[in-house]
């Protein structure tokens, strides 16, 4: 027993001595390492935008003294002027810092987002540099703890294609490249940057209606119709200021994107969602007329302007926003299947291999709109299934046999398969009122087991609706 | 007088022993090419002469200091906890060397990446701690650490230099290490004959295989030479014995006559 205690004591002493040694060296090198990092990142900032480095920018200088940047813990919330770079902390879980870059004349050149991401192998610090138009100047790995050869391959071969892409519409590589952890961290960084840019722009847009706006939350995403979502806007004390309804509609001239604000029954206004320099002059002129509605109770808002080619579209979007803001939760749930659904029958069972039940939906005049079919499919029985399971899908079919919407209710497949399927549903089925069965078969690829299951349920629903029509 | 001479002989013997300990790790018992220990960094971080040199320096630091500490505490460590105790000692020096590299040679630190912490599990260091430092005094352990690590560094530089030259047609310095000058040792201008495969792991295997073959050939050549020398010596001894026998026989025949 004493022997064992002696061994434990010896190990403890060795461990303590080891710890003390490491602490001593760490306290000596900590500041130097931090300064190295700052210097490296600053060098990258200058390099990214082809800026001439200041004369004092030298390896022997103390960057902390020159640029007074980054306090050791928690960044200064105020903007610090750092040569030609302003940096400040970003209140975001993913983006850790945003730097605004100016040239010597003070012209705004763009922003650099620093994203720290820890993957399976360790930390990857990525800098995503954007120009003033939000196009990617360059994506660069500032430092990483991954296997050098793998990271080198990504740096040499797979970062250049990001250059010139719009941050709001970045196309990534195929699975072969994306299979590495390092590249996964790059995608994470670009996505985080894109979200941050969108959030930043959105908040600027919302401040047009609510000047005190400090944050916002996406309350609902709508599947059907022209209104994308309901956004709750809050002030600095997290008090609700009102709601904004982002809306999109493509008319003969352009795809228009508007924000419509309504707060406690008061219409706060309708504005172009894009920055003014990207919205067309005609649209901005058409919207000026709607400013006279600002501050009206929604019951008194009459959107009957019809003087320009844009008015019918704007009228339509404002009307839908007003309907959305007045609808109950039950109505909202029904309208996930059919936009104008007003009433629905009880769910009735079906004796069918795939379909389990259905539900009839009616409009305000009590006319039948269509049926929602609930189906179930077990993809694990498929011969090529490596990751199968039971999936439940709801298919809303109009009485004329066209699809209103498709919803994946549950799936036992992998997260990746589910994400892919949801993306396919979004692309092929949402707002696809015009799509008939033949087009559907062409459009939707059945190459995966989950897609095979989904197709089977959709086809069964369309067949059942056809048979019902025949009856 | 006789005692003085014996003491002198003993000191000389000790010096010779220390010299042998130092030199044997460099070529005769080279850890990489002869004992095949520490192959992981030899493949991973030898894409250039300078990274090989840098890794070698880190190993010299870690191996020498861990050998010294292990030798110092060898009598206090019970047999049962030798391995965990040595691992803690080695890990401490690796962490320290990692921090120092990150502070003073960040480019080298970035280039070696995860292979710096992996020095902890470099079997070469564990082998020397367990088989030599735990049985010898501090001075010999330190000499052994420097000698073996020097041999390891030279091997890494040989592999790194070969790979870099074949891949780029040049040998550079001052890229990763904070050296006062930056430039090229050799620039053959063989840009047309660059073989990028030697930068990657496949090139590492090829170059290591080549140098292993060279060392093996050298070893076989030495063995053959030794065998030939021994054979010649045996032959000579046989001849001498036969001569002695013949002479003895003649002498006995002459005597009887």
């Amino acid at each position: 027993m004493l022997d064992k205690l002696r061994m434990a004591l010896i190990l403890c002493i060795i461990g303590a001595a080891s710890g003390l040694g490491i602490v001593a060296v760490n306290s000596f090198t900590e500041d130097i390492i931090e300064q190295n990092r700052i210097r490296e990142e600053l060098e990258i900032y200058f390099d990214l935008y082809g800026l001439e480095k200041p004369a004092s920018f030298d390896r022997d200088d103390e960057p902390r003294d020159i640029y007074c940047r980054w306090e050791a813990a928690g960044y200064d919330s105020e903007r610090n002027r750092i040569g030609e770079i302003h940096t400040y902390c970003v209140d975001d879980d993913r983006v850790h810092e945003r730097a605004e870059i100016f040239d010597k004349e003070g012209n705004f050149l763009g922003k650099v987002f620093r994203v720290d991401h820890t993957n399976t192998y360790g930390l990857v610090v990525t800098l995503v540099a954007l120009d003033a138009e939000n196009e990617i100047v360059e994506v660069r790995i500032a430092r990483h703890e991954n296997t050098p050869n793998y990271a080198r391959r990504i740096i040499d071969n797979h970062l250049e294609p990001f250059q010139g892409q719009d941050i709001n519409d970045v196309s990534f590589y195929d699975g072969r490249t994306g299979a590495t952890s390092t590249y996964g961290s790059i995608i994470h960084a670009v996505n985080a940057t894109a979200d941050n840019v969108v959030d930043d722009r959105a908040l600027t847009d919302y401040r047009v209606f609510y000047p005190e706006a400090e944050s916002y939350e996406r309350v609902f995403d709508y599947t059907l119709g022209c209104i994308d979502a309901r956004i709750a806007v809050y002030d600095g004390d997290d008090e609700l200021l009102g709601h904004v309804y982002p809306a999109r509609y493509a008319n003969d001239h352009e795809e228009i994107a508007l924000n419509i604000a309504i707060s406690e029954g008061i219409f706060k206004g309708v504005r172009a969602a894009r920055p003014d320099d990207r919205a067309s002059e005609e649209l901005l002129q058409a919207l000026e007329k709607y400013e006279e509605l600002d501050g009206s109770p929604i019951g008194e808002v009459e959107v009957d302007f019809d003087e320009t080619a844009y008015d019918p579209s704007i009228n339509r979007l404002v009307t839908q926003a007003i309907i959305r803001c007045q609808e109950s939760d039950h109505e909202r749930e029904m309208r996930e299947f059919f936009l104008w659904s007003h009433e629905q029958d009880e769910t009735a069972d079906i004796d069918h291999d795939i379909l389990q039940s259905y539900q009839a939906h009616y409009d305000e005049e009590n006319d039948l709109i269509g049926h929602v079919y609930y189906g179930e499919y077990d993809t694990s029985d498929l011969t090529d299934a490596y990751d199968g399971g039971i999936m439940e899908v709801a298919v809303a079919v109009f009485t004329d046999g066209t699809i209103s919407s498709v919803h994946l209710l549950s799936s036992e497949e992998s997260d990746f398969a589910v994400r892919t399927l949801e993306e396919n549903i979004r692309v092929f089925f949402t707002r696809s009122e015009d799509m008939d069965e033949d087009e559907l078969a062409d459009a939707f690829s059945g190459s995966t087991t989950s897609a095979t299951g989904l197709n089977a349920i959709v086809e069964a629903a369309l067949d059942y609706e056809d048979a019902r029509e025949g009856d | 007088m006789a005692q003085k001479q014996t003491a002198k002989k003993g000191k000389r013997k000790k010096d010779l022993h220390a010299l042998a300990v130092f030199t044997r790790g460099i070529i005769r018992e080279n850890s990489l090419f002869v004992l095949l220990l520490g192959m992981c960094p030899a493949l991973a971080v030898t894409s250039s002469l300078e990274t090989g040199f840098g890794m070698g320096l880190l190993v010299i630091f870690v191996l020498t200091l861990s050998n010294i500490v292990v030798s110092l505490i060898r009598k206090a460590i019970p047999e049962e906890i030798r391995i965990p105790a040595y691992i803690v000692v080695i890990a401490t020096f690796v962490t320290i060397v990692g921090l120092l590299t990150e502070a003073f040679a960040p480019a080298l630190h970035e280039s070696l990446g995860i292979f710096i912490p992996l020095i902890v599990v470099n079997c070469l260091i564990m082998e020397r701690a367990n088989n030599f430092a735990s049985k010898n005094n501090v001075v010999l352990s330190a000499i052994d650490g420097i000698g073996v690590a020097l041999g390891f560094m030279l091997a890494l530089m040989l592999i790194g230099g070969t790979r870099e030259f074949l891949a780029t047609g040049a040998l550079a310095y001052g890229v990763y290490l904070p050296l006062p000058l930056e430039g090229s040792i050799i620039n053959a201008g063989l840009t047309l004959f660059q073989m990028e495969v030697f930068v990657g792991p496949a090139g590492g295997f090829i170059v290591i295989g080549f140098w292993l073959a060279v060392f093996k050939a050298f070893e076989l050549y030495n063995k053959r030479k030794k065998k030939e020398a021994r054979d010649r010596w045996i032959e000579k001894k046989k001849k001498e014995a036969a001569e002695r026998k013949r002479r003895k026989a003649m002498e006995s025949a002459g005597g009887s006559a």
Side-chain angles (χ1 to χ4, degrees), chain A residues 226-241:
Chain A
C226 301
I227 308 293
D228 285 340
R230 174 191 282 188
I231 311 281
V233 182
Y234 302 95
D235 65 9
D237 300 325
D238 279 344
E239 294 287 328
L240 180 68
L241 295 169

Side-chain angles (χ1 to χ4, degrees), chain B residues 229-247:
Chain B
R230 190 178 162 75
D231 288 348
R232 275 200 302 275
W233 182 77
I234 291 170
E235 197 60 35
K236 192 179 157 195
K237 287 288 171 193
K238 272 184 183 170
K239 271 183 186 169
E240 281 175 6
E243 183 64 22
R244 267 201 307 275
K245 206 174 171 184
R246 193 174 63 81
R247 208 176 293 149

Side-chain angles (χ1 to χ4, degrees), chain A residues 3-60:
Chain A
D3 278 355
K4 283 183 181 160
L5 278 175
R6 186 169 155 258
M7 285 182 210
L9 186 67
I10 289 170
L11 279 179
C12 285
I13 293 169
I14 293 174
S18 154
L20 280 174
I22 292 171
V23 167
V25 175
N26 186 46
S27 60
F28 169 60
T29 54
E30 196 177 17
D31 277 356
I32 304 170
I33 292 171
E34 181 62 16
Q35 285 174 9
N36 283 343
R37 286 178 181 168
I38 294 168
R39 188 186 291 115
E40 273 171 28
E41 282 178 28
L42 284 172
E43 279 182 346
I44 294 174
Y45 288 171
F46 283 93
D47 190 34
L48 282 170
Y49 293 90
L51 291 169
E52 191 187 335
K53 288 177 193 167
S56 56
F57 199 94
D58 192 85
R59 281 197 82 83
D60 299 329

Side-chain angles (χ1 to χ4, degrees), chain A residues 319-357:
Chain A
T319 308
Q320 280 196 30
I322 290 172
I323 290 170
R324 283 296 191 188
C325 91
Q326 290 174 311
E327 72 189 0
S328 65
D329 286 349
H330 175 64
E331 284 173 325
R332 183 175 54 76
E333 283 167 18
M334 281 197 302
R335 287 170 191 166
E336 291 291 287
F337 297 109
F338 298 101
L339 186 59
W340 303 113
S341 188
H342 186 68
E343 200 58 61
Q344 63 188 17
D345 283 347
E346 290 292 314
T347 310
D349 289 342
I350 307 175
D351 183 19
H352 190 276
D353 290 343
I354 296 174
L355 303 176
Q356 315 289 311
S357 57

Side-chain angles (χ1 to χ4, degrees), chain A residues 6-7 10-11 14-15 18 21-22 25-26 28-29 32-33 36-37 40 59 121 142-149, chain B residues 44 73 75-78 80-81 84-85 88-89 92 95-96 99-100 102-104 106 110-115 199 201:
Chain A
R6 186 169 155 258
M7 285 182 210
I10 289 170
L11 279 179
I14 293 174
S18 154
I22 292 171
V25 175
N26 186 46
F28 169 60
T29 54
I32 304 170
I33 292 171
N36 283 343
R37 286 178 181 168
E40 273 171 28
R59 281 197 82 83
Y121 297 102
R143 65 175 186 278
H144 65 85
E145 293 170 0
N146 286 209
T147 313
N149 281 341
Chain B
I73 60 173
K75 285 174 187 163
I77 308 285
E80 294 89 338
I81 55 164
V88 172
V89 171
T92 306
T95 310
I96 289 172
L99 289 170
L100 291 173
E102 195 174 1
F104 299 108
E110 193 186 331
S111 162
L112 298 181
I114 57 163
F115 295 103
V199 180

Side-chain angles (χ1 to χ4, degrees), chain A residues 154-174:
Chain A
I154 297 293
I155 291 166
D156 288 348
N157 304 327
H158 301 297
L159 295 185
E160 201 183 327
F162 284 109
Q163 290 176 19
Q165 291 200 50
D166 187 337
I167 190 65
N168 297 312
D169 187 24
V170 181
S171 60
F172 294 114
Y173 272 90
D174 58 11

Side-chain angles (χ1 to χ4, degrees), chain B residues 191-230:
Chain B
T191 45
L192 277 176
F193 304 102
Q194 287 170 355
M195 291 173 278
E196 282 185 13
V197 67
F198 286 102
V199 180
F205 276 109
I206 294 168
V207 171
I208 286 181
F210 169 75
W211 283 115
L212 279 176
V214 169
F215 266 73
K216 196 71 192 168
F218 184 65
E219 189 188 325
L220 289 175
Y221 174 75
N222 272 349
K223 265 188 186 169
R224 204 177 66 220
K225 291 278 263 185
K226 272 183 191 169
K227 192 171 178 297
E228 281 173 6
R230 190 178 162 75

